[in-house]
Amino acid sequence: MILDQLILPWLIAWLVAGLGAYLVAVLDRLMATGPTQAGSVWLAPLASAAWLMTQQATTTEAPDAPAWRLAPALYLALAATGLALVPWSPTLVGVDLSTSLVLWGSLEALATVVIFLHGWSANSHLALIGAYRYVALGLSYLLISMFVLIGVALPAESLRLTEVVAAQTSLWHVVSQPLGLPLFLVVGLGLTFWGPLDLADSTDLSGGTAVERSGPPRLVWALARAAMLVAFSAIAATAFLGGWLGPWLPGPAWLLIKSLAVLVALLWLGRRLPRLAPERCVTLMWVLLLPLSFVDLIWAGAVALWMA
């Protein structure tokens, strides 16, 4: 009983985090190089990881040593905790809280703290600039996510993710709330600072918060970013694509398929959209996307009242 209800879902969460991070590296390389290099992309992430494991972990002068060591591991732990919230079936849930949507929002907020800690603790000006860039935009991501997730909670009349999935039995939220998923995908790109919203670890800062990272800590940071992308994809599939719901296949298989679809969409957007300048990104978030998220919330409330 304990194995089925607690240990097994957590083991699944860590397994999905690890394998998902590897899949992110493979898919991202495949999108970058094209199908002609498909044979080598499967081994390239493993080769890169092995190379980083053999490199020396350098440090800066007078860093905040505890925060410097803990930040990558904390970000990875947040990703694994997010995956533990995901219901794989009505009974296979790692953390089935009555406020699991609120906990996910808390993880997003804590991610902002950890990312800032990662840049600040290095005692390096480029890393610190990357950290402040992320914080400058982090509040807009959190607000957009809050409005969108409240929208999916309204039809379920619950903040529990299992209830959110059950509320989509007749109609997925991606259909009833058409603005919700696109806005949430923007949150995902921002939360993992991926693609067009990579302002924390961008090339113009020579790597931003990770500029001073090398060796195994750099590998853990890259693993954590990819694992957070996987965790976000699973949450998005749960909240908007019906989670485990689907014919013929078992529930966990449907969730994996839907999560993979969201993950591919995020990676494709990350490769196809140009990186925004920080000032334009601020304008986009506060002037356009944040009001749209409020419209989405009003729309979700109206639909919930009409269907009640």
Side-chain angles (χ1 to χ4, degrees), residues 123-198:
N123 193 25
S124 169
H125 66 285
L126 289 177
L128 185 61
I129 292 173
Y132 273 114
R133 271 188 181 180
Y134 187 86
V135 172
L137 289 167
L139 179 59
S140 63
Y141 301 149
L142 295 177
L143 289 175
I144 293 172
S145 178
M146 178 186 69
F147 286 135
V148 167
L149 291 179
I150 291 174
V152 301
L154 288 176
E157 299 182 4
S158 173
L159 296 171
R160 189 189 300 267
L161 277 170
T162 50
E163 297 294 332
V164 170
V165 174
Q168 299 177 76
T169 303
S170 58
L171 188 65
W172 292 355
H173 288 146
V174 69
V175 178
S176 60
Q177 302 176 25
L179 288 175
L181 183 58
L183 289 170
F184 201 54
L185 292 180
V186 174
V187 174
L189 292 174
L191 179 66
T192 57
F193 39 104
W194 204 275
L197 300 183
D198 182 11

Side-chain angles (χ1 to χ4, degrees), residues 40-112:
S40 62
V41 296
W42 293 97
L43 294 178
L46 299 177
S48 298
W51 181 81
L52 284 172
M53 287 297 295
T54 62
Q55 301 304 300
Q56 181 179 1
T58 59
T59 185
T60 58
E61 183 179 355
D64 185 332
W68 174 251
R69 296 188 184 98
L70 282 175
L74 288 174
Y75 195 47
L76 180 58
L78 291 177
T81 305
L83 281 168
L85 294 173
V86 176
W88 298 89
S89 73
T91 56
L92 188 59
V93 190
V95 183
D96 190 18
L97 297 177
S98 60
T99 55
S100 48
L101 277 176
V102 176
L103 181 54
W104 171 255
S106 301
L107 294 178
E108 292 178 336
L110 287 172
T112 303

Side-chain angles (χ1 to χ4, degrees), residues 114 163 239 303:
V114 170
E163 297 294 332
V303 172

